[in-house]
Amino acid sequence: MTDAVDFLDQFNVRRASDVTIRFTVLASAPGAEPPAKRQRCDTAHEEQYQQQDQGREQEPGGQPDETSSQGRLRAVVREIYGHSMILTKASEWAERMLSPEWSAETPGVLDVELDDEGEVPAAELLFKSMYSTADAGRPLKGADQATLLQVLLLADRLRAERALCAAVNALLATADTSMAGVLDWDTILALYALPPAVAKSKALKPLWNAGAAALQHRLGDLDAAWLDAGCRAQLLALPFEALRHLLSDERTRVSSENTVVYTVAAWINDNAGGVDGAMQRAALAHYVRAPHLSKLYCASAGSWLLTRWSPHISAADVHCATDLQEADDSSKLRTRLLKAKGLPLAHRSAWRLPPRPTSSVKEAVVEWRVPLSEMRQLYEQAAAGAEVGESLQVCSEAVVFQGCEWEARVKCKKREAGVILRATLNVSLPPGCGAAAVLAAMVAFQKKPPADDAHDPALRFSAWSIEVGTGQGCTDVFGLGELKEWDEVAWRNKGLVGQDGRVGVRFTIRGVK
C-alpha cells in the first residue's frame, strides 16, 4: 500500500498555478490611516463584482456582500497562488466559485472576504490544511485556540469539510495538553457565541462536548462559583446559550435548587434586556426544578420570580410543585401528581427531574472583621453623634448562598448612657424580587472569629428566623454594655481581640428553608 499523496509542498507555489487567492478586507476611508498602512484597492474588479452580484444567490466567502454592492471598496491585503485541481476537491465554495457560470467575469480569481487583517494567518492556515491532503491537521499543529477558532469559522464559510474537522481536532488536542485539561475560557465563550447555523454542524459535536466539560470544570458547582469573585463575574457574563446549557446539564451541582433561582435572577438583572429579554427569561424559568425549592423560599422568591419570568407559569402551578415535596418517592400520591394531565407536573419536564447533584459547599461564612483601631474610630464617630438614637452601621461583604445574599452588620448606636454595639445577620432575596419574606436557616454565631491560622472551635447551630430587610442578631454583641468611653483594656480582657489584632463577628449558615 502506498502512502497518501500530499500537496502541502505546492502551497503558494507559482508553478502550474491557475488560481489567484486574494484575502480582502473593507478598505478604510482615504486618510484614515497613515499612508504606509493603506492597502491598495482594486476598483476595476469591484465594479465587476457589483455586476455579478445582481440576481445571484449569495455564496459564503469571497463574493461581494451587501456592503460591496453598495459601493464600499475592499482592499486586497494578501495574495497567494492556488491550484484549481486541489481547491475544488477541498472546498465546495471554491468548486462553485471556479465554475464557468461564476468565474466568467473574473476567471481564476478567488476573493476571500475577511473581517480584518488579523484573520490573514488563520486564512493561510486554512488553505494549507486544504493542501495537506495526507493529514489536514498537520499545518494546524502549534496554533493557539483563538487562531484555530478563526480557521474553523472560515472552513465552515468556505464549506471545506476536511479542514473543518481538522480544526475541531486541533482545538481538542490543545485542550488535552493544557494545564487544566480543558478549553480556554475565551474559547468557551466564543463557542457559545457561534452563529446557530455553524453551531449545529455535526462536525462540531466533539467540540461542544469539550466546551460543556470546560464549563462544568469552571462553573459546574454553582454555590462554589458564587463564593469565588472571579467565577462569579464569569457566571454573570455568560452568553445566554452557555447559561442555558449549564442549567440543563445533569452534572451541574447545587447545595439547593434555590441557588438556581438566584443565578437566573442575577443573570437576568445583568443581561436580559432588549428585544430578546422576554424570551430569555421565559426559557431560563423552565430550567428551575420548582419541586425542589425550599418551602419558605418558594413561597416568596421562587413563586414571585417564576411567574414574572414566564407567562406560562402561574402561582397555582408553583403551589402544586411544592405539593410534590410532601410525597414520598414511592407513594401513590407522587405517582398521581406526576401523571395527572391537568396538573403542571405532567407537562413541565424540569419539574419531574430529581434533585441536582450536591454542591461541595455545605455552609457559608459571613464575617465582619476589622482591626481594633478601626473599631475605636467607629465608636468615636457614633459617640460624637448629635442625637441620642443615632446609629452608625458598617457591613461585611455580601455572600451568596442557597439563593440569597447574606450580610453581617454591626451598628454602633448612641444611647443616654453610652454607645451600644449590635450585630445582625441580614438576608436579601434575588434581584427583581419585591416580595416580603421570612426565611429560616441554621446559624452559628461567633463574636470572636478565629485568626486565619487558628483552630476553628466546634460550632453550635440553632434555628434562626430572619426577616428580609430587618435581619436577626443580638444587642450588646460583645458584652461590654453601654460604652461611655473607649477602653481598649476591656476588649482585651474579655478576649475579644484575635491574635491578628482584629475584632469582629462571624455567622456560619446552613440549610436555608
Side-chain angles (χ1 to χ4, degrees):
M1 181 181 291
T2 59
D3 293 335
V5 178
D6 190 87
F7 295 99
L8 185 57
D9 60 347
Q10 297 301 308
F11 173 76
N12 199 22
V13 173
R14 187 170 187 174
R15 185 180 70 254
S17 169
D18 57 351
V19 178
T20 299
I21 304 168
R22 307 192 308 184
F23 301 144
T24 70
V25 298
L26 282 175
S28 302
E33 293 180 334
K37 290 189 177 182
R38 294 180 195 158
Q39 302 292 338
R40 68 179 179 85
C41 186
D42 193 336
T43 56
H45 282 299
E46 185 67 26
E47 293 174 357
Q48 293 174 353
Y49 294 158
Q50 293 178 21
Q51 295 171 4
Q52 284 183 319
D53 195 50
Q54 295 177 1
R56 288 187 177 172
E57 178 184 355
Q58 176 63 37
E59 284 291 323
Q63 289 298 335
D65 55 17
E66 291 182 359
T67 57
S68 297
S69 63
Q70 293 171 1
R72 295 188 66 183
L73 305 182
R74 298 195 68 87
V76 178
V77 295
R78 178 85 164 96
E79 287 186 357
I80 59 177
Y81 299 109
H83 305 78
S84 59
M85 179 185 69
I86 298 172
L87 295 172
T88 55
K89 296 294 184 183
S91 163
E92 292 181 20
W93 167 82
E95 183 180 18
R96 176 72 64 87
M97 291 297 103
L98 293 173
S99 63
E101 63 269 24
W102 279 92
S103 61
E105 299 292 339
T106 55
V109 175
L110 285 178
D111 278 347
V112 181
E113 296 184 358
L114 307 178
D115 291 334
D116 54 61
E117 290 188 54
E119 292 185 354
V120 170
E124 289 196 8
L125 279 179
L126 170 61
F127 280 90
K128 284 182 179 180
S129 180
M130 293 182 189
Y131 271 73
S132 185
T133 50
D135 179 6
R138 182 156 65 99
L140 306 180
K141 293 178 180 178
D144 58 49
Q145 291 187 15
T147 301
L148 290 172
L149 266 176
Q150 291 179 336
V151 173
L152 184 152
L153 288 170
L154 286 170
D156 179 78
R157 282 174 50 201
L158 305 190
R159 299 177 186 174
E161 191 68 22
R162 286 185 69 252
L164 175 63
C165 293
V168 169
N169 291 332
L171 271 167
L172 296 175
T174 61
D176 291 339
T177 57
S178 68
M179 292 184 62
V182 295
L183 294 171
D184 296 341
W185 185 250
D186 288 343
T187 303
I188 298 171
L189 296 182
L191 182 62
Y192 281 101
L194 288 176
V198 181
K200 293 178 181 178
S201 170
K202 292 182 179 180
L204 265 64
K205 186 175 181 179
L207 192 58
W208 277 112
N209 292 338
L215 193 61
Q216 281 293 320
H217 175 79
R218 184 64 176 166
L219 301 176
D221 188 330
L222 287 183
D223 285 276
W226 278 112
L227 294 178
D228 180 275
C231 291
R232 183 165 62 245
Q234 290 176 337
L235 186 59
L236 291 174
L238 283 178
F240 168 73
E241 284 299 326
L243 181 62
R244 187 184 66 81
H245 199 121
L246 183 65
L247 298 183
S248 63
D249 196 321
E250 292 299 318
R251 296 170 293 181
T252 299
R253 292 145 286 158
V254 295
S255 63
S256 164
E257 190 68 16
N258 302 355
T259 305
V260 177
V261 171
Y262 187 93
T263 300
V264 173
W267 188 91
I268 286 173
N269 187 61
D270 278 18
N271 300 277
V275 178
D276 296 329
M279 179 203 69
Q280 292 175 347
R281 290 191 293 272
L284 294 175
H286 289 275
Y287 289 108
V288 176
R289 303 181 185 184
H292 304 298
L293 295 171
S294 62
K295 277 193 171 182
L296 287 176
Y297 189 87
C298 184
S300 52
S303 179
W304 175 280
L305 292 172
L306 288 173
T307 55
R308 280 157 179 77
W309 292 339
S310 173
H312 305 295
I313 299 177
S314 68
D317 291 344
V318 180
H319 179 74
C320 181
T322 61
D323 290 341
L324 196 63
Q325 298 179 17
E326 304 295 331
D328 296 333
D329 290 345
S330 59
S331 68
K332 292 183 179 180
L333 173 61
R334 184 181 184 86
T335 303
R336 290 288 180 88
L337 287 171
L338 290 173
K339 291 185 176 181
K341 294 182 179 180
L343 296 180
L345 297 173
H347 58 268
R348 300 199 189 284
S349 57
W351 291 17
R352 300 166 60 86
L353 295 174
R356 299 176 194 268
T358 304
S359 167
S360 61
V361 179
K362 309 302 181 186
E363 59 189 29
V365 173
V366 184
E367 186 171 272
W368 178 88
R369 191 162 73 171
V370 297
L372 186 60
S373 59
E374 289 188 23
M375 187 71 246
R376 178 174 183 171
Q377 292 176 10
L378 293 172
Y379 162 80
E380 291 175 346
Q381 290 175 21
E387 299 179 3
V388 173
E390 187 175 341
S391 63
L392 181 67
Q393 177 175 277
V394 288
C395 306
S396 70
E397 182 179 349
V399 171
V400 175
F401 179 63
Q402 293 198 348
C404 302
E405 281 189 16
W406 302 88
E407 190 178 60
R409 299 180 183 178
V410 174
K411 289 184 178 180
C412 299
K413 187 174 184 179
K414 185 176 182 179
R415 292 185 175 179
E416 291 286 353
V419 174
I420 194 76
L421 302 177
R422 173 178 171 80
T424 60
L425 176 63
N426 289 65
V427 62
S428 300
L429 295 177
C433 187
V438 174
L439 298 178
M442 298 300 293
V443 179
F445 171 69
Q446 295 167 282
K447 63 181 178 182
K448 180 193 169 185
D452 294 335
D453 58 350
H455 175 69
D456 201 353
L459 299 176
R460 294 183 179 180
F461 285 87
S462 58
W464 285 31
S465 298
I466 309 169
E467 183 178 353
V468 172
T470 301
Q472 180 176 328
C474 55
T475 303
D476 191 18
V477 60
F478 297 110
L480 296 172
E482 296 182 346
L483 300 175
K484 298 180 180 179
E485 59 183 14
W486 178 258
D487 185 359
E488 183 173 321
V489 175
W491 286 83
R492 295 190 179 277
N493 287 344
K494 282 186 170 289
L496 298 172
V497 183
Q499 296 178 5
D500 58 356
R502 294 172 176 261
V503 297
V505 294
R506 174 186 287 180
F507 298 92
T508 305
I509 309 159
R510 293 178 182 171
V512 179
K513 302 297 184 182

